Amino acid sequence: MRVGALTLTSRAVAHGIPAFALRAEADGRSLVYSGDTAPCPSLTSLAEGCDALLCEAESAERPSSGEQVHHTPEDTGDTARAAGAGRLIVTHVGRFLTPQQAVTRASTRFTGPVDYATPGTTFVVG
């Protein structure tokens, strides 16, 4: 869909209930927002080659049983690496993690820039 100068693309992602990720593109730059989701091929595909991936890291660890519905910090790094993202911005960090722990753990799997989406912070995409 086009909205002004933006091209928006959404994909269903794995969350146990209907959930969607969004890719916003303008002027040759792209930002992908994971929304709530477990790691899944549809998110990786949507994020392919993006300039920035804004990805949730709600889970401190993968569930020992049941369906995974959120990323761990390591999962965010894996998704960013697999997609070839230019940078990773971690958001929606769960209560059993600090933002710094999430960034540090994501950085073990993704060698590009990794930041935390501190409320009020702005990032230049591209």
Side-chain angles (χ1 to χ4, degrees):
M1 151 182 276
R2 298 242 343 137
V3 177
L6 290 175
T7 300
L8 303 174
T9 306
S10 65
R11 294 253 170 87
V13 291
H15 190 53
I17 59 173
F20 298 87
L22 178 72
R23 182 180 184 114
E25 298 176 279
D27 299 324
R29 292 179 257 167
S30 57
L31 168 75
V32 173
Y33 174 49
S34 68
D36 278 355
T37 182
C40 62
S42 59
L43 174 60
T44 303
S45 172
L46 183 68
E48 187 174 329
C50 69
D51 293 297
L53 172 60
L54 177 62
C55 193
E56 64 96 2
E58 196 280 336
S59 296
E61 57 188 59
R62 288 180 174 220
S64 58
S65 63
E67 181 181 13
Q68 182 176 358
V69 295
H70 291 284
H71 280 71
T72 65
E74 291 82 4
D75 292 332
T76 65
D78 289 341
T79 297
R81 185 185 70 246
R87 79 180 309 161
L88 172 60
I89 304 167
V90 178
T91 192
H92 189 39
V93 172
R95 67 180 185 250
F96 297 112
L97 293 166
T98 67
Q100 186 54 50
Q101 287 171 323
V103 167
T104 298
R105 288 173 54 180
S107 295
T108 67
R109 305 282 182 92
F110 179 68
T111 59
V114 180
D115 295 291
Y116 173 66
T118 303
T121 301
T122 59
F123 296 90
V124 175
V125 175

